[in-house]
């Protein structure tokens, strides 16, 4: 079986023509950043919400699909088995339904929202043998289209609407194939049927009633927008234990639109936010200086350089698909394997006001590159001999071990999440560049960032727009009580400050914000 793409879409106050609006759930904290804790166990997510995410100002967590899925034992437990559901029962290698409920409750109690990755386009591969294992032990016969735990039978799939010889998508230039045929062999659900709509909405409503704040909707590109609209119209309001009465779920949908295909991300704007896959691809190519590009080109970053409108976009540098070389972006995508460039890209994303930001939290795998392709991109999370997922190990310095990468815990990324929260709602201002790959910009009167991606020294005085005083550079350190563990930046009363960044610095970035100002 092959790998399956997975994606996201966010809904922000966009009417569906049904008197409904899909919005960010209210929060007492300033809106900030979503973190994707890819393949984490529910018990580990709960602990992370309490000990790290809430104190660190993270808005919410995207969790891996919670539904029962096929268990693939050869090769052992690939990550993509999570995207091959066999029922809507809530047991997976992340944990049981009770553990899921406990995690949702504990995260909501500390103000961190849960966004569930939902796989509703399809069931598992038609090639899965009858009697194959599943995470809850449910029986299914994918070849016959039998999933009695839902229940679905052969009549609930789109086989009669797909006219390719293989039954799979053979051309992405044909919208009917993309939305009615099987994505790499996965049984494609007929969402125009009332039974299917009801079962999908019922699954999503169970999660909402448990306290989930919204959804990443996988493979949205492969579903007709009118079918998604009908399903979303049936969704419950958020649980009033944690959210104000009448709050609607926050929805972000995966639509890979790099241009050149008839299906456009804009078709889904009325339903929620859309994953902007061009974001990581374009920014990665600039930071890599491909084709002579330079950071100063980012002055027009946003819709003017071909991205979707900011208010429609989920922005991200990489996701669990394209960090493995598939799912859009190609060689331009920067990942944790290149930590210096990666932190530069994430810092820019979290400082810039474009879109709603999501950061990745990954695990390592044994890479095996053959002619540029990673032969081991299927490998699942760090696991015990029985195939169960290992706990996330936290070292004394706050970093993760035992195969877990935890980019969200890297100090510069953690501190830039705070920067994004502090500067939320503030306009981009005081742009400066040297015509090459040295840039700086502010966010109103609350934050300022400087990046040097040139091979020469950056040594310049700039207008920051910040109040006068001494600030901690949150890239080299952070404010600790009345002191600073990193560089200090003195802002004069007129808002100007001097910055020096050597190209050989561990990270060629400096950033300050008003919450990092030292007391007099």
């Amino acid at each position: 079986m092959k790998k399956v793409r997975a994606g996201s879409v966010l809904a922000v106050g966009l009417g569906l023509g049904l008197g409904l609006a899909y919005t960010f759930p209210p929060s007492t904290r300033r809106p900030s950043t979503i973190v994707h804790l890819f393949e984490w166990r529910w018990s580990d997510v709960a602990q992370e919400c309490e000990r790290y995410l809430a104190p660190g100002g993270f808005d919410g967590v995207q969790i891996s699909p919670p539904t029962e899925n096929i268990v693939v034992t050869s090769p052992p437990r690939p990550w993509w088995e999570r995207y091959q559901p066999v029922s809507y029962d809530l047991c997976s290698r992340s944990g049981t339904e009770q553990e899921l409920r406990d995690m949702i409750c504990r995260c909501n109690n500390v103000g961190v929202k849960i966004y569930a990755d939902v796989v509703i386009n399809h069931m598992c591969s038609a090639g899965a043998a009858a009697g194959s294992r599943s995470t809850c032990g449910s029986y299914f016969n994918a070849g016959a289209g039998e999933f009695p735990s839902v229940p679905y039978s052969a009549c609930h799939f789109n086989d009669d609407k797909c006219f390719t010889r293989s039954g799979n998508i053979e051309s992405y230039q044909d919208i009917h194939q993309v939305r009615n045929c099987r994505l790499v062999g996965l049984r494609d659900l007929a969402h125009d049927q009332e039974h299917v709509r009801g079962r999908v909405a019922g699954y999503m409503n169970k999660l909402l009633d448990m306290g989930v704040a919204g959804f990443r909707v996988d493979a949205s590109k492969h579903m007709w927008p009118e079918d998604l609209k009908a399903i979303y119209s049936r969704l419950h309001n958020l649980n009033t234990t944690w959210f104000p009465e009448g709050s609607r779920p926050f929805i972000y949908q995966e639509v890979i639109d790099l241009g050149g295909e008839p299906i456009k991300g804009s078709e889904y704007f009325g339903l929620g936010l859309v994953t902007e896959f061009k974001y990581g691809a374009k920014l990665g190519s600039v930071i890599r200086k491909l084709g002579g590009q330079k950071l100063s080109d980012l002055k027009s970053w946003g819709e003017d350089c071909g991205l979707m409108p900011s208010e429609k976009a989920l922005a991200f540098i990489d996701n669990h698909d394209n960090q493995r070389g598939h799912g859009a972006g190609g060689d331009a995508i920067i990942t944790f394997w290149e930590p210096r460039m990666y932190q530069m890209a994430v810092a820019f994303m979290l400082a810039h006001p474009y879109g709603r930001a999501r950061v990745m939290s990954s695990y390592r795998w044994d890479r095996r590159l053959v002619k540029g392709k990673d032969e081991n991109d299927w490998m699942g999370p760090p696991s015990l001999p029985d195939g169960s997922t290992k706990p996330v190990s936290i070292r004394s310095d706050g970093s993760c071990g035992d195969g877990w990468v935890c980019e969200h815990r890297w100090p510069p990324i953690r501190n830039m999440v705070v920067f994004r929260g502090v500067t939320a709602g503030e306009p981009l201002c005081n742009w400066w560049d040297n015509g090459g790959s040295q840039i700086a910009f502010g966010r109103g009167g609350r934050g300022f960032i400087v990046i040097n991606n040139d091979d020469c020294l950056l040594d310049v005085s700039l207008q920051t727009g910040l109040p006068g005083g001494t600030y901690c550079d949150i890239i080299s350190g952070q404010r600790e009580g009345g002191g600073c563990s990193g560089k200090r930046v003195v802002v004069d009363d007129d808002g100007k400050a001097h910055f020096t960044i050597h190209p050989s610095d561990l990270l060629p970035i400096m950033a300050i914000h008003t919450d990092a100002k030292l007391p007099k």
Side-chain angles (χ1 to χ4, degrees):
M1 289 185 287
K2 297 181 180 180
K3 298 164 280 293
V4 183
R5 287 193 303 257
S8 324
V9 189
L10 309 168
V12 282
L14 303 171
L16 292 174
L18 298 166
L20 300 173
Y22 293 80
T23 60
F24 291 110
S27 174
T28 55
R29 69 177 77 238
R30 287 172 286 200
S32 182
T33 306
I34 298 168
V35 57
H36 183 189
L37 299 181
F38 181 49
E39 286 282 11
W40 282 42
R41 305 181 316 159
W42 307 145
S43 57
D44 289 322
V45 174
Q47 290 183 68
E48 192 72 348
C49 285
E50 295 166 341
R51 70 193 171 194
Y52 189 84
L53 300 180
F58 285 81
D59 175 74
V61 176
Q62 178 182 313
I63 60 171
S64 291
T67 44
E68 179 180 23
N69 58 263
I70 187 171
V71 174
V72 180
T73 56
S74 180
R77 307 302 297 269
W79 65 267
W80 45 261
E81 73 172 36
R82 299 292 291 268
Y83 294 86
Q84 299 211 21
V86 301
S87 80
Y88 298 137
D89 294 338
L90 299 175
C91 51
S92 67
R93 64 179 169 204
S94 287
T96 65
E97 179 175 332
Q98 184 53 49
E99 289 170 326
L100 176 64
R101 288 180 180 274
D102 178 68
M103 177 266 289
I104 294 169
C105 179
R106 289 168 61 183
C107 289
N108 278 329
N109 284 346
V110 294
V112 179
K113 296 181 279 292
I114 298 298
Y115 303 117
D117 192 353
V118 290
V119 182
I120 59 174
N121 171 67
H122 55 262
M123 301 303 282
C124 74
S125 169
S132 296
R133 291 176 57 199
S134 58
T135 49
C136 298
S138 296
Y139 170 81
F140 65 96
N141 185 336
E146 297 175 358
F147 299 90
S149 292
V150 179
Y152 290 142
S153 58
C155 65
H156 297 123
F157 297 92
N158 274 329
D159 296 328
D160 62 334
K161 302 185 190 75
C162 178
F163 301 106
T164 63
R165 174 174 291 185
S166 65
N168 295 331
I169 300 167
E170 296 176 357
S171 171
Y172 275 78
Q173 297 301 317
D174 183 338
I175 63 172
H176 296 278
Q177 286 189 37
V178 175
R179 289 169 171 158
N180 292 335
C181 295
R182 297 173 183 175
L183 172 64
V184 292
L186 301 165
R187 296 297 306 242
D188 196 69
L189 285 164
H191 298 95
D192 58 339
Q193 297 185 22
E194 286 300 307
H195 177 82
V196 175
R197 290 177 176 180
R199 294 297 169 172
V200 169
Y203 159 52
M204 296 172 75
N205 280 331
K206 182 173 182 177
L207 291 172
L208 289 170
D209 294 346
M210 291 166 63
V212 161
F215 305 100
R216 169 202 182 270
V217 182
D218 180 64
S220 296
K221 177 178 180 175
H222 300 278
M223 293 177 276
W224 294 93
E226 56 266 35
D227 291 336
L228 287 175
K229 179 178 178 178
I231 291 168
Y232 296 168
S233 72
R234 302 182 182 196
L235 297 183
H236 295 170
N237 292 338
L238 302 188
N239 189 315
T240 55
T241 301
W242 297 286
F243 305 102
E245 187 173 353
S247 299
R248 297 298 295 160
F250 171 57
I251 298 174
Y252 54 101
Q253 309 160 90
E254 179 199 27
V255 182
I256 300 177
D257 176 12
L258 298 180
E261 294 180 13
I263 294 178
K264 305 300 181 185
S266 58
E267 297 178 50
Y268 298 81
F269 285 171
L271 304 175
L273 293 196
V274 176
T275 49
E276 179 49 286
F277 277 85
K278 293 190 293 292
Y279 193 102
K282 285 177 174 287
L283 184 57
S285 67
V286 170
I287 290 177
R288 292 185 186 280
K289 304 179 183 179
L290 301 180
Q293 295 181 83
K294 48 195 183 298
L295 289 188
S296 56
D297 298 335
L298 300 177
K299 185 174 183 178
S300 61
W301 188 245
E303 193 169 0
D304 289 345
C305 67
L307 301 181
M308 66 180 65
S310 175
E311 67 274 13
K312 313 294 187 184
L314 178 75
F316 57 100
I317 303 304
D318 63 330
N319 76 346
H320 64 279
D321 274 319
N322 60 19
Q323 69 175 196
R324 289 165 170 77
H326 47 88
D331 293 339
I333 298 299
I334 303 173
T335 72
F336 69 86
W337 295 108
E338 301 169 289
R340 192 172 191 265
M341 283 196 296
Y342 187 71
Q343 290 177 91
M344 192 184 309
V346 175
F348 176 86
M349 176 182 73
L350 294 177
H352 197 280
Y354 180 88
R356 184 72 172 185
R358 182 186 65 195
V359 300
M360 188 68 193
S361 189
S362 315
Y363 59 82
R364 288 181 175 81
W365 65 92
D366 296 328
R367 300 179 86 193
R368 183 170 178 266
L369 297 177
V370 178
K371 296 182 179 180
K373 183 184 183 303
D374 187 351
E375 297 291 323
N376 284 340
D377 63 3
W378 57 266
M379 294 183 72
S383 300
L384 298 170
D386 64 359
S388 61
T389 302
K390 286 184 178 180
V392 177
S393 171
I394 308 296
R395 300 187 180 106
S396 59
D397 65 357
S399 65
C400 294
D402 214 5
W404 298 99
V405 178
C406 302
E407 299 96 310
H408 70 290
R409 280 179 166 263
W410 294 359
I413 292 178
R414 174 195 67 206
N415 291 342
M416 285 305 300
V417 168
V418 175
F419 181 106
R420 191 169 185 85
V422 169
T423 61
E426 297 291 327
L428 190 147
C429 60
N430 294 314
W431 177 276
W432 171 88
D433 65 68
N434 70 339
S437 283
Q438 297 178 353
I439 64 170
F441 59 89
R443 294 291 305 280
R446 299 192 61 85
F448 195 77
I449 187 169
V450 187
I451 305 175
N452 180 13
N453 197 32
D454 271 341
D455 296 327
C456 57
L457 177 69
L458 182 152
D459 187 23
V460 64
S461 292
L462 300 171
Q463 174 56 247
T464 68
L466 271 62
T470 302
Y471 293 77
C472 272
D473 166 37
I474 62 169
I475 302 299
S476 60
Q478 59 192 25
R479 178 177 168 177
E480 296 178 348
C484 181
S485 62
K487 300 175 184 176
R488 298 180 181 223
V489 177
V490 176
V491 177
D492 295 333
D493 290 340
D494 62 359
K496 289 186 176 180
H498 192 85
F499 297 90
T500 302
I501 303 177
H502 293 269
S504 60
D505 285 351
L506 185 63
L507 281 181
I509 311 167
M510 294 181 72
I512 56 177
H513 58 73
T514 50
D515 284 9
K517 185 179 180 183
L518 297 175
K520 293 182 179 179

